[in-house]
Amino acid sequence: DAKTTQPPSMDCAEGRAANLPCNHSTISGNEYVYWYRQIHSQGPQYIIHGLKNNETNEMASLIITEDRKSSTLILPHATLRDTAVYYCIVFMNRDDKIIFGKGTRLHILP
Amino acid sequence: EAGVAQSPRYKIIEKRQSVAFWCNPISGHATLYWYQQILGQGPKLLIQFQNNGVVDDSQLPKDRFSAERLKGVDSTLKIQPAKLEDSAVYLCASNYRTGGTKSGYTFGSGTRLTVV
């Protein structure tokens, strides 16, 4: 079973920051938080991942709480192309299996 | 770098027929996965290969599903006989090593199967 809880859907206005929350209260010390997204008719695409520290790349920022029980994915300036299902996943790299939950369906409103 | 290739892109078959899907992972990726994604749900892992050996097939319905990865490169997933509930997108993914880090997982675009 997936170890994360996400809201089923969210709306965000185009050009605004999209903040997608994820709860992972049972995360263990050596488990990473990964985010993937799936645009319609495509396979999931890697966005970002982190262990303890906040991370930023060209696509997004990942904010992990100090107790690591929750995190937020931030898309700084959402565009219509960011409309997708976003999956928050926790797993140990050595475990090497991604178990998906239901994700959050993000709608970007023009 | 070429991505994970899957074919066919779409397939429509009648129930009780057989069907096969093909996956070519990224060159050098030792680990290969097949996922089943039913409409409205997240992908579900069916089977994991490490080179040409099966690491985990606990979620594979072995009475009708089979998969192989000969020579540790390409892989095929077969369903025989198909049922209506097998209608889904079948995704293939590869990873460059067991215990890999970062963005090692790369997914193909999937094969959409419709069983009528």
Side-chain angles (χ1 to χ4, degrees):
Chain A
D1 290 345
K3 301 178 182 179
T4 61
T5 304
Q6 299 177 253
S9 66
M10 291 183 62
D11 292 339
C12 179
E14 189 177 17
R16 304 297 294 270
N19 296 275
L20 291 87
C22 179
N23 286 320
H24 31 80
S25 58
T26 62
I27 192 170
S28 63
N30 52 0
E31 285 185 315
Y32 288 75
V33 179
Y34 274 71
W35 283 84
Y36 279 75
R37 75 178 182 183
Q38 189 172 24
I39 295 171
H40 183 61
S41 297
Q42 297 183 21
Q45 173 194 24
Y46 166 84
I47 301 174
I48 198 167
H49 78 286
L51 183 63
K52 297 180 182 178
N53 299 322
N54 298 337
E55 302 288 343
T56 296
N57 63 20
E58 65 278 5
M59 290 181 67
S61 295
L62 173 60
I63 308 298
I64 303 174
T65 58
E66 193 167 343
D67 63 6
R68 301 209 326 124
K69 292 186 177 181
S70 66
S71 61
T72 300
L73 177 74
I74 302 173
L75 307 178
H77 305 288
T79 71
L80 295 177
R81 288 175 294 188
D82 293 321
T83 294
V85 178
Y86 288 76
Y87 296 99
C88 169
I89 300 154
V90 297
F91 76 112
M92 290 181 285
N93 286 323
R94 69 171 176 82
D95 198 46
D96 205 34
K97 282 192 290 284
I98 289 181
I99 306 299
F100 289 87
K102 295 184 178 180
T104 295
R105 185 171 296 276
L106 178 65
H107 301 275
I108 304 300
L109 307 176
Chain B
E1 177 182 74
V4 175
Q6 290 189 247
S7 66
R9 191 75 173 90
Y10 304 94
K11 189 74 176 179
I12 301 174
I13 62 171
E14 296 183 349
K15 59 184 179 183
R16 291 186 288 274
Q17 285 187 324
S18 62
V19 64
F21 313 125
W22 174 81
C23 172
N24 180 247
I26 291 175
S27 177
H29 279 199
T31 313
L32 184 147
Y33 316 80
W34 283 101
Y35 285 82
Q36 178 193 57
Q37 186 172 25
I38 293 172
L39 186 64
Q41 300 181 17
K44 171 190 168 186
L45 180 66
L46 292 176
I47 189 168
Q48 175 187 353
F49 290 94
Q50 174 71 14
N51 296 311
N52 60 349
V54 176
V55 174
D56 183 355
D57 63 356
S58 58
Q59 299 299 308
L60 188 73
K62 299 179 187 64
D63 58 333
R64 297 184 301 104
F65 286 64
S66 64
E68 61 182 10
R69 191 184 183 196
L70 300 176
K71 300 180 182 179
V73 182
D74 294 3
S75 177
T76 56
L77 176 69
K78 298 179 182 178
I79 307 175
Q80 182 180 8
K83 293 185 176 181
L84 296 177
E85 58 260 38
D86 298 331
S87 294
V89 175
Y90 291 85
L91 294 161
C92 179
S94 68
N95 193 5
Y96 63 89
R97 61 187 173 93
T98 298
T101 61
K102 304 186 189 299
S103 58
Y105 267 80
T106 302
F107 285 83
S109 296
T111 295
R112 181 176 298 277
L113 174 68
T114 302
V115 183
V116 298

